[in-house]
Every structure is written in structure tokens, then in C-alpha cells.
Amino acid sequence: MDLTYTAAEEEFRSELRSWLSANIPNEWTRPGFWESLDDDESFRLRRDWERDKALAGFAGIQWPTEYGGRGGTPGMKAIYDAEMVLANAPRSVNPLALTFLAPTVMAIGTDAQKKEIIGPLLRNEVIWCQGFSEPGAGSDLAAVATKGVRDGDDFVVNGQKVWTTNAVHGDKIFTLVRTEAGSQKHRGISMLLIDMHQDGVDARPLKQMSGASEFGEVFFSDARVPATEVLGEIGEGWRTAMLLLSFERGASGIAQYTEFRRQYDEVVDVAKRLGRDTDPVIRGKLARVLTDLECLRYHAMHVQTQVEQGRDLGFEASMTKLIWSEPSQDLWEVFDEILGDDATLDSLGDLDLRPLHAQAMWSRSVTIWGGSSQVQRNVTAERVLGLPR
Amino acid sequence: MFFALDEDQQAFDGAVRSYLAGRFDLEAVRGVFEDPSGDGHPASLWKAAAEQGWLAVTVPEEHDGLGLGLVEAQVIGRALGAGAAPGPWRGTVLAAEAIRLAGSPEQQAAWLPRLASGDAVGAFTLRGSAPGTLPAVEYGALADVVVARSGDGLVLVTGATATPQGSYDGTTRLASVEAGEGEALPGATAEVVAELEARAVVLVAADLAGIAREAITRTVAYDKDRQQFGVPVGSFQAIKHALADLHVAVTLAEHAVLYAAHAVDTGLDGADLAVAVAKAKAGDAAVAATQAMIQYHGGIGYTWEHEAHFFYKRAKRLAGQFGDADAHRARIAELTIG
């Protein structure tokens, strides 16, 4: 066991800390600040800040320097993720491009794609959406119905995507399209990179139960996409999608722990202010949540070790989603119990509850997106334990 | 960052498991279970344990021990739990730990080599106080030396009268010990007693993690084959989801025990929290996994002939030992809420 980081990694941490403390305005860390902005303003601030951060060398931590990355270690990436949470840094506006698209392009993109895509997305000059889910294809990802019909050098695309993060602010979308007429399931799909500012592409916000509109819908009606804008091989989009999703497996959970531990401390503070911290039932429930959060931390260290040793976690990674998503929901259920009769109020005395409610509402989504808990349980049972399908 | 057993520790783990599997199995456990008047102290296992250094694991080399830490000890604890193995391993190791950390040089020289070699059997309890009655001491009737509380400190009790106490967990033997004054361990400050308690908690949690892992491994193997309605019962989503949840819980318990052992060994900040987390998680996981073992074997799982009850009964006993999950959650609340 050696739970420390190397000297070079600690050096990186202090450089990053200095930059963050000099470049995050105080008001940004005030509770409720981000919730007080409208979606466009929030987006603009975050986009510009993240661009400056990339230009300062704090982006693409593990990416090769030839792509504008830092060429750092997995340890540096873990430090980066945790420090961003500790510094109250704003959430990324381009998370899907950074996590999924860029490493896929590095792995299988053409030289032209590597040049056109990676640098600009790192600097937030191009904001990307992921177009996988459709009204009929959520967990059943292979039920893609959006069609692309070849016409000369282009595909002509018709169909609809849903639950699309950044739909309204996105510049381009990497999307699964059925490019072989009459094909079934995962065959005959291609991954197209589609410009969202063209005729035939219409994005509409979807208002969520939290009141925010982080997701939206995207409609394609005769949108023309050059065939050079296929990532991977034509008709092999399923393979591209699986490669792309595999990049989530490196996510260790250290940042999630850091975030949830802070939320736990916030909830404990509220319990104290309301004099509910001495209630043995509340204490027992909080301790149960904390037990799982600490276990998330140990699991994150286990995963980080595997990543640093270059081991593929494979389907074990589906467990990680269960391990962080469900305790985060449990925490907010205890929060409501602490508030009791006043659970739904916007404020109690001088205590503004809205930022906490926003986090609680968000927690209801985390066991659905990115593979629902039910899907993760099936994967764990079938692929990890080997139970029959 | 390296959160795992290193190569030597992995080799040690493999050696413990294969040695145990080759010389001791559930038939042997049954033999102990079905002979309640026997001493529950299988000679072959004990000899093997001593030869392999399992009793000497944390004893310093100068006293003929291996001089290793709690990380290595929890490897053995887990393997013994997975085998539902009877015997006074944990009591002997913890008695030696008490003497190592709080004993005088004379006490160390007198006891550590004997405990390390298996010539002497040890027991460790924090219930009751000497002089007086010490209830339900594991292998109290066999022990040559019992480490017990006396006021705020610890004493060595030898030559005590022990009365066997019946228990439905046939994988152990319990006894009520009538302790005299005992011989004080001079270094047993409150801090040292707390550290010993932490070490005891981690070793019990390791046993529970071993039980839990074995329970779900055996259940998964059974449910892959067992047919109902013409298909394996393991293909039913109700069973899959339950076993997936248990696999997650047991995996977390294993991580938590490993982390807690390392935290205690190295005196990490937050070691007390880690120990409480490990026991709460491992206790709950072992009880849930052994309950599931019975349920997902169907009726056969409830029979005496099937081994599921060895694991369930052992899990029930150890889940309560050195504080149950609720007690450890109360500690967690104290440490994180105040």
C-alpha cells in the first residue's frame, strides 16, 4: 500500500491550486451563485473560464502534448479532478467531448479529424453534444431510428435525438445514425459528426424537474453531412460507440467522493442549524451514508491503482456507477428527513435551501443517465459474476 | 497511489488459501459442528497454522515472529472466514498483540515465542473485567493466557476456571472465564487499549468479509446451474439484481477492511473512522450475503446438511463482536457530526 502521490504530482497540485485561487472570482463560490444566473449567462462564463484554463495549461491533463494536452500521469488527472471540486470550479461546458470524443478521435480519427477536432474542443472553441439517446432508444442504445441516406458525397439525415446535454449551446454533435436501410440492432449504424448551425438541424431545450435545461432535443430534417464527417468506419458506428464509452471506465470516483463528502458536510451543517444533529435516527442514517461515501473513496483508490498499472477494469467499471450514484441519492433523502415538515420550502429563516434542493433534484437523474442502475446491475450480474442471460 | 496488496502480500494470500484448502474443508468444519462437546480446536488446522506462521504474523522477529502488520493478518483472517474455519487463531494473535504493545520485556519474552509457535493458546476479550466473570470468551476454556480488561488497563489471566457456554455457532467454542486479579500489562494506556480494540475490530471485519465473499461465490455457482421453470434461476432478474448488489457491498467491505488495516498499521489520520466503517460495512455485508445464501439455495439452503448455516451462524456471531454495525455507525456519527 502506498496512498501517496509522487513529488511531481504534488508539484502539479500546488501549481494548479495557485492558478485556481487566482482565477476563480470570490462571488462564484458563494452558495446559490450559479443557480441565480440564467442558462446563457452561466454557459458563457463557464465557457470563457474553461478556455483560459486550457490556455494556462490546465486541460487535457493526460493527453499527449502534440494535441495540446499536458502529457501528465493518471495521478495528476485524479488530483486535477479533486482540486476542481475543492476549489468550487464551475462545471465543464464540454464534458462529453473531453471525456469521450477526444480520446476516441485520438485512437481512430483521421489525421484531418485529429487536427480539426481536438485542439478546438480543448479550448472550447467548439462545444460538442452527444447524440445517442432517442425517444425509443434510451437504455436500448441499439434501437437507433435516426436515418442517414447516402446522396453523393453526403449523408442526408432525418430523425430525433433526446436527453442531449448542451443541445441549445452545442456547435457540433457526435451522433449515432442508421446509415444502412433496413439494418437491425447494432449493425448498419455510423457515427456522424454533424454541424448544428446548419439548415435542417433544430435544437430545443427540455425543461427538467429541477427547473434547469441542461438537456434538450435535437431534430434533423434533411440535414446534409459530408461523408468525411464519419468517425470510424461507415456502418461500424456501434464499434465506435463502444470504444467511446469505454473511456468512461478510467473515471475513478475520487472527484465524486470529494464532491459528495462536501455535500455531506453541508447537510450536517443544516442539521446542526436546525438542532436535528442530536436525533439518533438522523445520526444513524447520516452515518450509513457516510459509510458508503468512505467506501466510495476506497473504491476510487482501488480503481486509480488499476488505471495507474495500466489494467483494464472492463465490466467491473459498471459497479463504480452504482457505488457513487446511489449513496448520493441516499444523502438527499436524509436531508429531506432533517427538514421534516419544511422539506419543500425554499428557505428556512435566513437559510436559503434552493441550492441544496437543486443538488437533491439533480441526484434523481444520476441513476438514469449514462446507463441506469438496473442496466448496471444486469451488467454486473452477467459480465462480472457470470450469471446466465 | 497503490491501493492493493503488494506482490509479497499477494503471494502470502495465495499460500494461506491453498494451504487451508488443501488441509481443511467444510467436511472438517462439519466434524467440529457436529461434536459440540469437543474442543472445537482441530489439531491438524492448528498445526498447519503454526507451521505457516499464521500465529506469528504480527509477532516481532526477535520473538520468533514474522514481524508483519495488520494488512497481512487480515489476509489470514479473511481466508479463515471464507473457510468458516474453527480455532483460536484470532484470540492468539490478539493476545500476542496486547503483549507486544503493552507488555514488559519479561512478559514479551515469556509469551510471544510460545504464542507465535502455537505452544500456547491465547484469548482476548474486552467484555467484563478482572477480577470477575468474563463472558463468552472465544476459546476461553483452551486458552493458556487470556488478555482482559482490569479497570482502565489490561491484565494477563492465567490458570482461570472456564465454563463452556453453548452457542449455535458451531465454528467456535465459547466459555465464561472466572478471572482472578491477573498480571498487569504495564503499557496498557487508554490509547493502547483503543489501538488493540481497533486491531480486534479489523480482524473480525476481515473474517466477516471472507464469509461474505464465500457466501456469494457459492450462491452464484449454485444459481448458474439450478433449474426452475426450465431455466437456471440465476437468469431471473430478481436474483441477478440481488446478487449484483451483494457483490458491490462485499467488494466495498473488502476495500474497507484493507484500508482500515493499512490505516491502523501506519497510524493514518482518520484511522478510527476507517475502522468503524470497515466493521459496519463488513458486518452488514456478511449478514446480508449469508441470508441470501440460504434464500437463493431454496429449501436446501435451510437444511442442516447444507453448509449455508455454517456461514450464516458465524456471520451472526461476528457481526455483533467488538461492536455491531449500529454501534460503529454511532461512532461514525460522533466522528463526522460531533
Side-chain angles (χ1 to χ4, degrees):
Chain A
M1 299 282 271
D2 178 5
L3 307 183
T4 58
Y5 291 101
T6 65
E9 288 165 346
E10 288 297 348
E11 171 83 3
F12 167 76
R13 186 200 300 274
S14 53
E15 273 178 47
L16 175 61
R17 271 191 185 171
S18 311
W19 191 88
L20 290 171
S21 72
N23 287 279
I24 295 180
N26 275 338
E27 63 166 346
W28 288 16
T29 63
R30 198 184 70 223
F33 171 78
W34 292 102
E35 288 80 3
S36 71
L37 304 177
D38 70 34
D39 285 350
D40 291 342
E41 177 69 358
S42 160
F43 185 85
R44 192 184 59 76
L45 283 182
R46 288 153 59 207
R47 186 192 58 203
D48 293 351
W49 181 82
E50 201 177 354
R51 179 201 56 220
D52 294 346
K53 177 165 63 66
L55 292 173
F58 295 111
I61 304 302
Q62 277 187 265
W63 300 2
T65 48
E66 61 180 297
Y67 297 123
R70 200 179 170 101
T73 63
M76 288 175 188
K77 178 64 166 60
I79 286 171
Y80 170 86
D81 289 343
E83 290 296 326
M84 297 294 279
V85 176
L86 290 172
N88 283 295
R91 279 179 303 113
S92 170
V93 292
N94 225 353
L96 298 164
L98 292 165
T99 308
F100 297 113
L101 182 63
T104 308
V105 171
M106 286 182 219
I108 62 166
T110 62
D111 286 344
Q113 286 172 337
K114 288 176 188 173
K115 191 156 169 285
E116 280 165 24
I117 294 174
I118 298 173
L121 77 78
L122 196 63
R123 296 185 296 272
N124 278 346
E125 290 156 12
V126 176
I127 303 298
W128 285 85
C129 305
Q130 173 178 284
F132 282 14
S133 294
E134 295 187 1
S139 291
D140 185 6
L141 201 56
V144 170
T146 297
K147 287 189 182 65
V149 176
R150 190 69 185 249
D151 179 24
D153 290 338
D154 295 344
F155 285 100
V156 176
V157 178
N158 282 282
Q160 183 195 347
K161 297 289 172 178
V162 72
W163 320 127
T164 308
T165 306
N166 282 344
V168 177
H169 295 111
D171 299 306
K172 292 195 79 173
I173 183 167
F174 54 99
T175 188
L176 291 175
V177 175
R178 197 165 287 288
T179 49
E180 202 179 300
S183 62
Q184 295 289 315
K185 295 275 183 187
H186 53 272
R187 294 204 179 82
I189 296 171
S190 299
M191 187 173 295
L192 301 190
L193 310 175
I194 303 178
D195 182 351
M196 295 181 75
H197 302 305
Q198 64 174 311
D199 289 344
V201 181
D202 182 24
R204 300 175 200 164
L206 263 181
K207 193 167 184 177
Q208 297 133 35
M209 63 178 271
S210 62
S213 293
E214 283 170 291
F215 306 134
E217 298 172 291
V218 181
F219 297 86
F220 301 105
S221 42
D222 291 335
R224 297 193 75 90
V225 183
T228 50
E229 295 287 288
V230 174
L231 182 57
E233 301 293 321
I234 293 174
E236 296 290 338
W238 185 254
R239 187 183 292 180
T240 305
M242 290 302 106
L243 173 68
L244 193 136
L245 291 174
S246 75
F247 291 109
E248 190 173 31
R249 292 184 191 155
S252 73
I254 287 175
Q256 276 118 334
Y257 167 77
T258 310
E259 185 179 347
F260 296 146
R261 181 59 204 257
R262 183 166 65 199
Q263 292 178 350
Y264 174 86
D265 292 339
E266 283 172 10
V267 170
V268 166
D269 276 347
V270 171
K272 286 183 174 170
R273 288 184 60 165
L274 300 178
R276 298 279 281 145
D277 58 312
T278 53
D279 179 327
V281 175
I282 294 293
R283 290 173 70 83
K285 289 185 178 184
L286 283 170
R288 221 176 251 279
V289 170
L290 198 275
T291 301
D292 285 330
L293 294 186
E294 289 301 304
C295 287
L296 165 64
R297 181 162 75 95
Y298 313 144
H299 183 71
M301 292 191 279
H302 163 78
V303 171
Q304 182 69 23
T305 302
Q306 306 296 306
V307 170
E308 289 185 21
Q309 308 253 305
R311 296 203 188 112
D312 182 9
L313 282 162
F315 292 104
E316 213 192 317
S318 63
M319 278 172 52
T320 303
K321 174 97 193 299
L322 289 171
I323 287 167
W324 69 257
S325 62
E326 305 217 326
S328 83
Q329 289 186 341
D330 294 343
L331 172 65
W332 295 109
E333 293 304 310
V334 184
F335 174 64
D336 281 350
E337 285 190 57
I338 289 166
L339 299 177
D341 277 358
D342 297 326
T344 65
L345 290 179
D346 284 348
S347 61
L348 272 180
D350 63 346
L351 187 61
D352 183 1
L353 296 172
R354 286 171 302 174
L356 297 166
H357 287 324
Q359 297 177 65
M361 291 300 149
W362 168 254
S363 79
R364 298 322 310 179
S365 77
V366 301
T367 48
I368 303 170
W369 57 253
S372 73
S373 288
Q374 287 63 39
V375 168
Q376 309 295 355
R377 288 193 171 90
N378 280 349
V379 173
T380 302
E382 289 165 10
R383 307 297 185 96
V384 180
L385 296 178
L387 286 164
R389 290 177 67 86
Chain B
M1 174 79 61
F2 185 76
F3 181 87
L5 297 177
D6 65 28
E7 272 180 32
D8 287 347
Q9 289 163 340
Q10 279 180 32
F12 184 68
D13 185 27
V16 170
R17 282 166 195 278
S18 65
Y19 205 93
L20 193 60
R23 284 160 190 78
F24 196 77
D25 59 17
L26 292 183
E27 272 314 296
V29 178
R30 182 168 295 281
V32 173
F33 229 99
E34 293 183 347
D35 178 24
S37 60
D39 65 7
H41 181 228
S44 63
L45 177 62
W46 192 247
K47 196 158 173 288
E51 278 169 4
Q52 293 296 301
W54 299 354
L55 298 164
V57 59
T58 58
V59 172
E61 290 175 47
E62 66 198 272
H63 294 296
D64 306 335
L66 301 184
L68 299 171
L70 201 54
V71 168
E72 286 84 0
Q74 64 88 35
V75 162
I76 302 170
R78 239 189 249 194
L80 293 173
W89 173 79
R90 190 168 47 248
T92 302
V93 167
L94 288 171
E97 283 291 84
I99 294 164
R100 174 176 76 86
L101 291 168
S104 66
E106 294 74 25
Q107 288 167 329
Q108 291 177 357
W111 286 105
L112 291 180
R114 294 185 60 207
L115 291 166
S117 68
D119 288 343
V121 168
F124 178 82
T125 183
L126 293 176
R127 297 177 66 189
S129 187
T133 305
L134 313 174
V137 179
E138 271 185 43
Y139 292 93
L142 266 174
D144 298 288
V145 59
V146 179
V147 175
R149 276 190 203 278
S150 177
D152 296 335
L154 296 174
V155 292
L156 299 180
V157 176
T158 53
T161 310
T163 312
Q165 289 181 288
S167 162
Y168 67 65
D169 176 16
T171 73
T172 190
R173 293 294 178 267
L174 304 177
S176 166
V177 175
E178 284 306 319
E181 287 288 329
E183 180 189 318
L185 287 169
T189 59
E191 210 170 39
V192 168
V193 175
E195 176 168 353
L196 279 166
E197 184 167 13
R199 287 173 176 266
V201 169
V202 170
L203 291 185
V204 173
D207 197 304
L208 286 161
I211 295 170
R213 175 58 70 197
E214 190 68 14
I216 58 168
T217 301
R218 285 174 178 271
T219 307
V220 165
Y222 182 79
D223 286 358
K224 275 180 190 171
D225 292 336
R226 168 70 174 158
Q227 303 263 326
Q228 290 281 268
F229 308 103
V231 292
V233 296
S235 66
F236 297 129
Q237 205 168 50
I239 291 176
K240 275 185 189 171
H241 285 195
L243 289 173
D245 282 341
L246 285 167
H247 173 68
V248 169
V250 173
T251 303
L252 294 184
E254 290 168 343
H255 293 328
V257 171
L258 179 59
Y259 182 82
H262 173 71
V264 171
D265 270 344
T266 56
L268 279 188
D269 280 350
D272 40 5
L273 177 63
V275 168
V277 165
K279 183 69 194 322
K281 195 72 193 174
D284 281 352
V287 171
T290 54
Q291 285 169 343
M293 186 184 190
I294 296 169
Q295 179 70 22
Y296 300 130
H297 276 77
I300 190 80
Y302 182 67
T303 63
W304 183 266
E305 282 68 28
H306 197 270
E307 59 271 13
H309 69 106
F310 303 167
F311 294 96
Y312 176 67
K313 291 168 179 174
R314 186 177 175 106
K316 279 281 178 183
R317 179 173 63 85
L318 295 181
Q321 211 175 49
F322 295 107
D324 65 9
D326 280 333
H328 285 283
R329 280 192 288 267
R331 177 76 181 132
I332 289 163
E334 223 175 278
L335 291 167
T336 64
I337 302 171

